[in-house]
Amino acid sequence: MGLTTDKLRSMVKKWQTLIEGNVDVKTTDGYMLRVFCIGFTRKQDMSTKKTCYAQSQQIRNIRKKMVDIIQREVSSTDLKDVVNKLIPDSIARDIEKACQGIYPLHDVHIRKVKVIRRPRFDLTKLMDMHGEGSGKAVASTDPTTGEVVERPEGYEPPVMDAV
């Protein structure tokens, strides 16, 4: 998952500082993710300067806050919840709010997420996760073709409006 290149290119402008941070985090369900974050400095309120460059110490502090927030948000949830947090970009908004005291930021985004390591594949765990773990399959014949079709126990075909 990542931002498109045209979106990235449109955010990069002159007279501001680009701040990037990345961190490797392990989720609760065993996935190892590398999360990349990007942010840009914004002019402070009531500023008359043309530029809005952050000092190197401010950049280090912002990057440290980025890494801390990403680690806290990702390591406490499983992969499904991480994706649900990434879609509305709530992690990036938290980073933006937390860094306002150091230097005002804008266009803060989770730029890219890479899956570094997946957990070992366990079929029973996967079936339990999707609610089909304990359901026994029942063999029945398809009336149109006469083939044997396996269906979960308690399966009922959908109701048709017209025949």
Side-chain angles (χ1 to χ4, degrees), residues 74-143:
V74 175
S75 64
S76 61
T77 58
D78 62 336
L79 187 67
K80 195 174 184 181
D81 291 337
V82 170
V83 172
N84 289 337
K85 284 183 180 181
L86 290 175
I87 291 170
D89 223 7
S90 63
I91 298 174
R93 278 199 304 272
D94 291 345
I95 292 170
E96 194 172 335
K97 285 178 194 167
C99 294
Q100 289 302 320
I102 301 169
Y103 205 98
L105 297 179
H106 73 102
D107 282 340
V108 179
H109 295 285
I110 300 298
R111 183 173 64 87
K112 187 192 295 185
V113 178
K114 289 183 179 179
V115 177
I116 303 297
R117 191 177 304 126
R118 291 182 297 159
R120 287 228 158 83
F121 181 70
D122 187 10
L123 185 62
T124 57
K125 191 174 182 183
L126 179 71
M127 297 301 274
D128 286 339
M129 206 164 71
H130 290 289
E132 301 170 8
S134 61
K136 297 181 178 114
V138 176
S140 62
T141 57
D142 189 10

Side-chain angles (χ1 to χ4, degrees), residues 12 24 39 49 60 64 66 86 88-89 102 129 135 144 147 162:
V12 177
D24 292 351
K49 290 194 303 183
R60 278 197 293 268
K64 185 176 184 312
M66 281 181 176
L86 290 175
D89 223 7
I102 301 169
M129 206 164 71
T144 56
E147 294 179 1

Side-chain angles (χ1 to χ4, degrees), residues 56-68:
S56 59
Q57 187 61 44
Q58 290 170 323
I59 294 171
R60 278 197 293 268
N61 289 341
I62 289 171
R63 192 173 292 126
K64 185 176 184 312
K65 271 225 174 27
M66 281 181 176
V67 167
D68 291 343

